[in-house]
C-alpha cells in the first residue's frame, strides 16, 4: 500500500506536486511505491548529512573536470556540470514495457532509414511525401544507395521522451545524427554513487557498464578480424559536449580524433600520427555528417576529412551512425509515423509521438493556421533551430513563434506541434527543499548481431524551475541520474575490466595523433612563454618599486617584454601577460583529456588571477607576477609528476625546452650586449632564478664570465641554456623513428652540433653572435620537429633541407 509522505521532507513538496503529473507523488498525495525506499532513507538524513553527500558528488565532478560549454554573446564558457539530486526513479515493470517500445521504435527507424537510402518504396507508394526527402538538407545524395550493403546504417541512437498528464511516455524526438548524453549519464551515475552509495546498493540500481561493454564489442567486431584502430570523431574542443567525447574515448579505449587527424589515401582512411600514417577501420561519429567531407558534402567545412565519403563507399571504413542518418531527426517525419510503421514493420508503434502536423498539405496547413495560438510552430527540416522542450506550465496561449505561410508551397518548411505538458520530478533546490521540476528523459539504444539493446537508465534533464518554459542546459537547466531498481543484486557485477584472474599484460599507448602532439608541443611553449614574461615583468616592476630611475637596464628589459607582447609603457602591462596566459590555457583546453584536471585548472587559475588584478586595478605587479610564477611552477610540476611520460609528454617537454632555451639566449644577449648596464648581471641571475646557486658555486664577486657560465653553459643548472639543449637531445632520442645506429637525419645532426658547441665553449666565447646563432639553431630545430612529426609524414623532414648546414 502507498504510504503518506514524511512530513518534514515531503509535506511542502506534495502540495506543489499536486498541480500536475509528478514522478514521485501520486494524485492522492501519497508516495509512489518505487520511490518509497529512496525517500525513507533521505528522510532519515539530517540537513548536514545531505550537504556532505552533495559536496562529495560536486567534489568528484570538479576533480574529474566534468564540464559543458555554454554559448553566450559571441563567446563560449566552460561551466561546471549541473548535477541535481535525487535521481529519477523508474519502476522496473514500467521500464521493461518502455524498453520494449524503444526497441520497436529502433527497428522502425532502422527500416525507415534503409528505405530512404535504398529502395525508396515509401515515397514511391505515396506513404511519405517525396519533397521531405528531396528538399531535406540531411539527405546526402553522394551516399544514396548505401543501404544496399550489408552493414547496418544505425548502431547507436537516442530517443527523447516526456511523460504526459495521462502517465504515458511520449516520443519528443529521435536523435540519430550524433546522439549526445551517454557519457554524461555515466558521469552522473559515478557522481551520484559517490553521494549515495548505500542507497544505490539498497535499491540494486542496474549498472550501465554492461551496455557500454556490449557497444565496445560491437565496434571492434565492425573492425573485422584485424581489429585495427577504432576512433571517436569529434568536432573539437569548441563543441558543447567535447568533454563527453574525450571521456567516452578513454572509457571505451578509442582514439579521440578530429577531422584533421584523418587522411584518405585511395579508398582507405588513415590516422596521421607522429609515427606515420596508421590505418583505421571504424569511426564512431560525433560530428554532423555534412561537415565530415568538404569534397562531397558541405564545401565550407574546415573540420572534416576530404575523401571520407569515398572510404565509406568502398567499405574500408565503417561509420557509426551512417553518414546521412540525421535525416531521421526531421520533425516533419513525426506527422507520418503511423502509416510508415504499418508499411515498414507491419506493427503499430507502442510509444506514441508528440502530435505533429506538416504544413505542406493544404488541409493540414489550414488546421495549423486556425490553431496556431495553442501550438508551437517550428522548422519541418533539421538544421534550423529545433523545437524547445516545453515545461508543464508553458501553455503559450495567444503566442506563435512564427507565422503560418499562406500557401502549401511555403508551408513545406513548417510544422505545428502540440506543446508538451511534462511531468515533474523532485530535485533539491538551493534552499535544501525538494522542488518539482519538469523533466525529460533521453534513452539510449545500441545494436549488435543480437538486435537492439536499451541502456538501463538514461540522461534526464530538468528545468531550472517549475515554471520554466524550456528545458535546456544552455539556458540554466540541469541533469539528474536515472535509476532502474532491481529486486535482487546482479549475480556478477558487470565491468569493462577483464575478469578477475585473467592474465594482465601492460601495453604502451597507441600512436599519438599529430594534432594532439602539436597541441602538446605548443602547450609547452606557451606555458614557458607566459612564465618568461612573468619573470621579466617582475624584474622590471621590482626595480621600479625599489626607486631605480628608468635607465639602460630597465629600457632593455622593457624592450624584451615588448617582443614578448607585454607593453610597459602607458601602464597595465598585465594585459599582455593575460594574453599569454590565455594562449596557454586555450591550448590546454584542446587536449585536457591528456593530463590531469588539476594541471588544466592551474592554468585557468593564472588567467583568473590576472583578470582579478585588472578588475581591481591592482598596481602591485610584483605580487601578481610572483603569484603567476607560483602557479606556473605548479603546472610544470603537475605535468611532470602526473602525466604519463610517453610520447605526448615528450612533445610537451620539447616545447618547454625549446622556448626556455631561446628565451634564455635572447635575454642574455640583450642584457650583456655591448657594454652591460649596471645591474645587468644581477638581473640575469634573477631571471634564471640562479642567485642562490651562484652564491654557493662561486666565491668571487659577480663577473660576466662566471654569470654567463652558470646561465648559459652549466649542464647541471636546470635554468641554463646547456641544460635545455641536453634535455632536448635526450627527449628527441626517444621520439618515434629515432633508432640508435641509423644515419642521423638533419634534426639529429643540428641538435648534436648545437650540443657539442655548448659543451666545448667557455664563458669568454659567449657573445652576441654566439647567442644569436644558438637562437637560430633552436628555431630551425623547432621547424624540423614540426615538419617531421606535426604537419606531414616522417619522410618529409628528410626531404626538406631546412637551410644550409
Amino acid at each position: 500500500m502507498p504510504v503518506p509522505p514524511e512530513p518534514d521532507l515531503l509535506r511542502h513538496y506534495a502540495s506543489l506536486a499536486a498541480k500536475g503529473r509528478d514522478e514521485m507523488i501520486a494524485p492522492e498525495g501519497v508516495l509512489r511505491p518505487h520511490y518509497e525506499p529512496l525517500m525513507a532513507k533521505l528522510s532519515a538524513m539530517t540537513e548536514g548529512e545531505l550537504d556532505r553527500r552533495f559536496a562529495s558528488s560536486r567534489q568528484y565532478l570538479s576533480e574529474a573536470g566534468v564540464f559543458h560549454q555554454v554559448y553566450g554573446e559571441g563567446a563560449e564558457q566552460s561551466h561546471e556540470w549541473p548535477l541535481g539530486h535525487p535521481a529519477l526513479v523508474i519502476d522496473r515493470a514500467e521500464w521493461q514495457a518502455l524498453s520494449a517500445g524503444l526497441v520497436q521504435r529502433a527497428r522502425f527507424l532502422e527500416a525507415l532509414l534503409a528505405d530512404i537510402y535504398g529502395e525508396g518504396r515509401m515515397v514511391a507508394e505515396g506513404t511519405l511525401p517525396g519533397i521531405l526527402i528531396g528538399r531535406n538538407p540531411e539527405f546526402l545524395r553522394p551516399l544514396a544507395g548505401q543501404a544496399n550493403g550489408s552493414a547496418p546504417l544505425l548502431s547507436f541512437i537516442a530517443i527523447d521522451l516526456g511523460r504526459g498528464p495521462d502517465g504515458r511516455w511520449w516520443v519528443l524526438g529521435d536523435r540519430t545524427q550524433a546522439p549526445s548524453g551517454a557519457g554524461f549519464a555515466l558521469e552522473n551515475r559515478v557522481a551520484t554513487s559517490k553521494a549515495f552509495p548505500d542507497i544505490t546498493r539498497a535499491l540494486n540500481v542496474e549498472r550501465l557498464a554492461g551496455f557500454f561493454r556490449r557497444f565496445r564489442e560491437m565496434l571492434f567486431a565492425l573492425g573485422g578480424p584485424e581489429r585495427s584502430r577504432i576512433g571517436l570523431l569529434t568536432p573539437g574542443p569548441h563543441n558543447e559536449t567535447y568533454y563527453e567525447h574525450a571521456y567516452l574515448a578513454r572509457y571505451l579505449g578509442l582514439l579521440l580524433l578530429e577531422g584533421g587527424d584523418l587522411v584518405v589515401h585511395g579508398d582507405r582512411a588513415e590516422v596521421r600520427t607522429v609515427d606515420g600514417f596508421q590505418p583505421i577501420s571504424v569511426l564512431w561519429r560525433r560530428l554532423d555528417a555534412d561537415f565530415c567531407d568538404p569534397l562531397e558534402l558541405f564545401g565550407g567545412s574546415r573540420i572534416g576529412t576530404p575523401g571520407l565519403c569515398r572510404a565509406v563507399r568502398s567499405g574500408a571504413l565503417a561509420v557509426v551512425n551512417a553518414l546521412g542518418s540525421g535525416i531521421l531527426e526531421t520533425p516533419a517525419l513525426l506527422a507520418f509515423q503511423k502509416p510508415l510503421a504499418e508499411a515498414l514493420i507491419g506493427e503499430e508503434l507502442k510509444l506514441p509521438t508528440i502530435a505533429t502536423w506538416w504544413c505542406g498539405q493544404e488541409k493540414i496547413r489550414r488546421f495549423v493556421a486556425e490553431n496556431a495560438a495553442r501550438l508551437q510552430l517550428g522548422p519541418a527540416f533539421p538544421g534550423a533551430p529545433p523545437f524547445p522542450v516545453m515545461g508543464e506550465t508553458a501553455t503559450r496561449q495567444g503566442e506563435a513563434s512564427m507565422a503560418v505561410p499562406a500557401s502549401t508551397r511555403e508551408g513545406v518548411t513548417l510544422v505545428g506541434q502540440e506543446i508538451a505538458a511534462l511531468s515533474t520530478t523532485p530535485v533539491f533546490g538551493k534552499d535544501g527543499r525538494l522542488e518539482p521540476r519538469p523533466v525529460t528523459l533521453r534513452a539510449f539504444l545500441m545494436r549488435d548481431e543480437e538486435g537492439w539493446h536499451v541502456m538501463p537508465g538514461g540522461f534526464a534533464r530538468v528545468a531550472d524551475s517549475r515554471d520554466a518554459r524550456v528545458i535546456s542546459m544552455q539556458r540554466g537547466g540541469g541533469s539528474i541520474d536515472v535509476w532502474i531498481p532491481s529486486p535482487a543484486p546482479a549475480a556478477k557485477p558487470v565491468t569493462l575490466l577483464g575478469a578477475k584472474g585473467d592474465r594482465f599484460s601492460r601495453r604502451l599507448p597507441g600512436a599519438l595523433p599529430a594534432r594532439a602532439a602539436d597541441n602538446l608541443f605548443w602547450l609547452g611553449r606557451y606555458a614557458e612563454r607566459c612564465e618568461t614574461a612573468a619573470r621579466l615583468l617582475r624584474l622590471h616592476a621590482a626595480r621600479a618599486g625599489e626607486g631605480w630611475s628608468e635607465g639602460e637596464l630597465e629600457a632593455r628589459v622593457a624592450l624584451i617584454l615588448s617582443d614578448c607582447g607585454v607593453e610597459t609603457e602607458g601602464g597595465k602591462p598585465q594585459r599582455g601577460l593575460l594574453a599569454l596566459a590565455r594562449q596557454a590555457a586555450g591550448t590546454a583546453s584542446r587536449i585536457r583529456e591528456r593530463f590531469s584536471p588539476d594541471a588544466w585548472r592551474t592554468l585557468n587559475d593564472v588567467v583568473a588571477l590576472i583578470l582579478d588584478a585588472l578588475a581591481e586595478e591592482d598596481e602591485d605587479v610584483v605580487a601578481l607576477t610572483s603569484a603567476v610564477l607560483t602557479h606556473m611552477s605548479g603546472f610544470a610540476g603537475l605535468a611532470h609528476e602526473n602525466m604519463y611520460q610517453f610520447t605526448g609528454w615528450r612533445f610537451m617537454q620539447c616545447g618547454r625546452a625549446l622556448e626556455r632555451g631561446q628565451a634564455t639566449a635572447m635575454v642574455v644577449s640583450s642584457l650583456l650586449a655591448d657594454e652591460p648596464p649596471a645591474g645587468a648581471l644581477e638581473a640575469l641571475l634573477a631571471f634564471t632564478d640562479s642567485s642562490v646557486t651562484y652564491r654557493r658555486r662561486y666565491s668571487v664577486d659577480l663577473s660576466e664570465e662566471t654569470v654567463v657560465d652558470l646561465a648559459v653553459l652549466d649542464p647541471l643548472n636546470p635554468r641554463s641554456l646547456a641544460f635545455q639543449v641536453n634535455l632536448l637531445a635526450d627527449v628527441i632520442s626517444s621520439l618515434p623513428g629515432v633508432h640508435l645506429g641509423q644515419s642521423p637525419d638533419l634534426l639529429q645532426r643540428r641538435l648534436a652540433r648545437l650540443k657539442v658547441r655548448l659543451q666545448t665553449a667557455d664563458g669568454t666565447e659567449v657573445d652576441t653572435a654566439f647567442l644569436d646563432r644558438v637562437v637560430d639553431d633552436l628555431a630551425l630545430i623547432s621547424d624540423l620537429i614540426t615538419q617531421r612529426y606535426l604537419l606531414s609524414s616522417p619522410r618529409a623532414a628528410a626531404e626538406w633541407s631546412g637551410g644550409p648546414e
Side-chain angles (χ1 to χ4, degrees):
M1 291 289 294
V3 297
E6 293 290 335
D8 292 340
L9 188 62
L10 299 179
R11 182 185 295 117
H12 178 69
Y13 180 85
S15 65
L16 294 174
K19 296 180 180 179
R21 163 76 195 199
D22 188 75
E23 295 295 324
M24 182 173 72
I25 301 295
E28 308 84 46
V30 296
L31 277 172
R32 298 184 189 275
H34 58 281
Y35 264 94
E36 291 174 15
L38 170 63
M39 297 315 297
K41 290 185 175 294
L42 290 178
S43 298
M45 296 179 189
T46 65
E47 183 177 344
E49 182 179 357
L50 282 172
D51 288 342
R52 287 192 296 272
R53 288 175 178 256
F54 296 160
S56 68
S57 174
R58 289 193 300 270
Q59 181 180 1
Y60 165 76
L61 293 171
S62 176
E63 291 176 351
V66 186
F67 73 100
H68 71 121
Q69 301 278 26
V70 175
Y71 303 110
E73 298 178 358
E76 62 188 49
Q77 294 180 338
S78 295
H79 283 209
E80 292 183 359
W81 186 244
L83 177 64
H85 300 285
L88 171 66
V89 184
I90 301 178
D91 179 69
R92 182 171 182 81
E94 181 185 19
W95 178 255
Q96 291 174 340
L98 180 59
S99 296
L102 291 168
V103 169
Q104 182 201 43
R105 184 163 189 83
R107 291 193 294 107
F108 161 65
L109 293 174
E110 187 177 23
L112 177 56
L113 187 63
D115 181 77
I116 291 172
Y117 282 100
E119 187 179 358
R121 183 167 59 92
M122 296 299 96
V123 172
E125 295 176 356
T127 308
L128 181 65
I131 197 170
L132 292 181
I133 305 299
R135 287 186 58 177
N136 201 311
E138 288 299 328
F139 179 68
L140 305 184
R141 287 170 177 78
L143 293 156
Q146 63 176 319
N148 297 326
S150 58
L153 300 184
L154 292 179
S155 297
F156 189 93
I157 67 171
I159 298 173
D160 286 336
L161 302 166
R163 194 199 292 272
D166 60 356
R168 290 204 300 169
W169 289 98
W170 291 72
V171 174
L172 303 176
D174 302 300
R175 299 291 174 259
T176 54
Q177 174 79 267
S180 63
F184 289 124
L186 266 173
E187 286 287 42
N188 283 353
R189 175 59 54 83
V190 175
T192 304
S193 298
K194 296 284 185 183
F196 304 105
D198 48 344
I199 301 181
T200 55
R201 285 193 300 268
L203 269 64
N204 299 316
V205 176
E206 289 202 30
R207 300 182 63 176
L208 308 180
F211 175 84
F212 285 96
R213 184 178 68 177
R214 189 185 289 269
F215 179 59
R216 184 177 67 176
E217 290 171 352
M218 180 275 294
L219 290 176
F220 280 97
L222 282 178
E226 297 180 0
R227 297 180 70 86
S228 63
R229 289 164 187 80
I230 314 294
L232 188 153
L233 183 61
T234 173
H238 297 295
N239 185 265
E240 63 179 315
T241 57
Y242 178 73
Y243 171 83
E244 180 188 37
H245 304 167
Y247 175 75
L248 287 171
R250 287 197 306 270
Y251 184 69
L252 298 174
L254 313 178
L255 283 174
L256 182 65
L257 302 171
E258 294 182 27
D261 293 327
L262 298 169
V263 64
V264 176
H265 289 145
D267 290 336
R268 292 185 61 84
E270 296 178 330
V271 182
R272 187 166 54 87
T273 76
V274 296
D275 204 15
F277 296 111
Q278 306 288 342
I280 188 166
S281 58
V282 180
L283 282 177
W284 182 14
R285 178 175 63 84
R286 298 299 299 271
L287 173 65
D288 286 356
D290 53 345
F291 284 91
C292 285
D293 187 345
L295 284 183
E296 297 194 53
L297 302 176
F298 173 52
S301 172
R302 296 294 180 267
I303 55 177
T305 305
L308 196 71
C309 287
R310 185 171 73 247
V312 170
R313 281 195 299 267
S314 72
L317 179 67
V319 178
V320 175
N321 289 322
L323 298 175
S325 57
I327 196 171
L328 295 178
E329 297 184 5
T330 303
L333 291 179
L334 296 177
F336 302 93
Q337 300 284 286
K338 184 174 182 180
L340 286 172
E342 291 175 353
L344 290 168
I345 62 175
E347 302 172 12
E348 182 177 348
L349 293 175
K350 299 175 182 178
L351 289 175
T353 58
I354 189 168
T356 305
W357 295 269
W358 177 55
C359 296
Q361 298 162 312
E362 181 57 28
K363 182 178 178 180
I364 300 298
R365 187 197 65 78
R366 288 199 304 269
F367 171 83
V368 172
E370 293 167 2
N371 295 273
R374 64 182 184 86
L375 299 175
Q376 54 179 340
L377 308 178
F381 297 109
F387 279 111
V389 178
M390 305 305 295
E392 182 202 18
T393 60
T395 56
R396 292 186 14 143
Q397 291 294 333
E399 294 184 20
S401 58
M402 56 182 69
V404 180
S407 68
T408 55
R409 178 171 181 152
E410 298 171 341
V412 297
T413 63
L414 185 77
V415 293
Q417 202 170 75
E418 70 173 328
I419 297 172
L422 300 173
S423 65
T424 56
T425 191
V427 177
F428 279 101
K430 293 180 180 179
D431 60 357
R433 285 188 169 189
L434 283 174
E435 302 174 0
R437 303 277 185 85
V439 61
T440 62
L441 171 65
R442 177 167 292 184
F444 299 93
L445 298 93
M446 59 79 50
R447 183 194 191 281
D448 60 11
E449 293 182 351
E450 298 177 10
W452 286 95
H453 308 273
V454 183
M455 178 198 290
F459 179 63
R461 288 180 296 173
V462 292
D464 58 347
S465 69
R466 177 181 176 81
D467 296 327
R469 297 164 61 89
V470 177
I471 297 182
S472 169
M473 300 190 72
Q474 288 288 323
R475 304 190 191 184
S479 177
I480 57 175
D481 195 10
V482 181
W483 288 356
I484 312 300
S486 177
K492 185 178 181 182
V494 179
T495 174
L496 263 67
L497 301 175
K500 189 174 182 180
D502 285 357
R503 185 175 179 83
F504 172 75
S505 177
R506 184 191 300 133
R507 293 186 177 91
L508 291 174
L512 180 70
R515 171 195 52 83
D518 185 53
N519 281 318
L520 285 164
F521 177 76
W522 280 101
L523 172 58
R525 297 205 67 157
Y526 288 147
E528 188 63 35
R529 194 169 294 178
C530 180
E531 182 176 336
T532 295
R535 288 187 180 279
L536 289 168
L537 185 56
R538 183 172 67 173
L539 176 64
H540 186 276
R543 287 185 64 86
E546 292 169 2
W548 291 90
S549 59
E550 184 74 18
E552 178 65 21
L553 176 59
E554 288 73 26
R556 292 191 185 193
V557 173
L559 184 60
I560 303 171
L561 279 168
S562 180
D563 291 339
C564 295
V566 179
E567 298 295 339
T568 57
E569 295 291 332
K572 296 299 180 186
Q574 302 96 320
R575 291 194 181 97
L577 190 61
L578 175 62
L580 295 172
R582 281 175 165 165
Q583 260 186 331
T587 304
S589 70
R590 293 195 283 272
I591 45 169
R592 59 190 294 176
E593 78 279 3
R594 294 191 175 271
F595 52 91
S596 75
D598 288 334
W600 182 81
R601 279 195 296 269
T602 300
L603 290 178
N604 281 276
D605 288 345
V606 172
V607 174
L609 272 173
I610 304 172
L611 284 172
D612 289 345
L614 285 168
E616 297 173 4
E617 297 186 355
D618 187 357
E619 298 298 333
D620 192 349
V621 177
V622 174
L624 172 63
T625 51
S626 295
V628 168
L629 289 172
T630 300
H631 279 74
M632 296 306 298
S633 296
F635 169 77
L638 288 166
H640 189 275
E641 296 295 330
N642 296 354
M643 188 175 176
Y644 192 72
Q645 297 190 6
F646 199 53
T647 308
W649 176 83
R650 292 168 186 158
F651 276 100
M652 191 165 71
Q653 291 298 101
C654 281
R656 287 187 67 88
L658 278 166
E659 191 68 31
R660 182 176 292 182
Q662 284 187 307
T664 301
M666 288 189 291
V667 170
V668 174
S669 177
S670 297
L671 293 184
L672 302 185
D674 302 324
E675 288 295 327
L681 297 180
E682 292 89 342
L684 183 54
L685 288 176
F687 171 74
T688 57
D689 201 11
S690 301
S691 299
V692 174
T693 304
Y694 185 88
R695 288 195 295 269
R696 294 183 59 189
R697 291 279 321 269
Y698 302 96
S699 59
V700 297
D701 292 335
L702 288 178
S703 71
E704 185 173 335
E705 184 176 346
T706 53
V707 170
V708 166
D709 180 73
L710 182 61
V712 177
L713 302 177
D714 193 330
L716 299 182
N717 180 9
R719 308 292 308 188
S720 76
L721 178 55
F723 188 93
Q724 311 315 315
V725 172
N726 292 342
L727 174 62
L728 198 58
D730 290 341
V731 173
I732 287 178
S733 68
S734 301
L735 290 182
V738 179
H739 304 289
L740 184 65
Q742 286 185 344
S743 297
D745 61 8
L746 180 56
L747 171 60
Q748 295 169 280
R749 292 199 302 273
R750 284 282 186 174
L751 190 52
R753 290 176 184 178
L754 177 57
K755 183 178 179 181
V756 170
R757 187 180 308 130
L758 290 168
Q759 286 175 339
T760 57
D762 61 43
T764 59
E765 296 177 55
V766 179
D767 56 12
T768 301
F770 181 96
L771 293 168
D772 289 347
R773 184 173 179 185
V774 170
V775 171
D776 291 342
D777 283 344
L778 289 173
L780 177 58
I781 289 168
S782 177
D783 290 342
L784 288 168
I785 291 173
T786 300
Q787 184 72 14
R788 173 166 182 164
Y789 293 108
L790 309 180
L791 296 180
S792 189
S793 64
R795 72 183 62 158
E799 297 171 352
W800 183 50
S801 66
E805 289 272 355

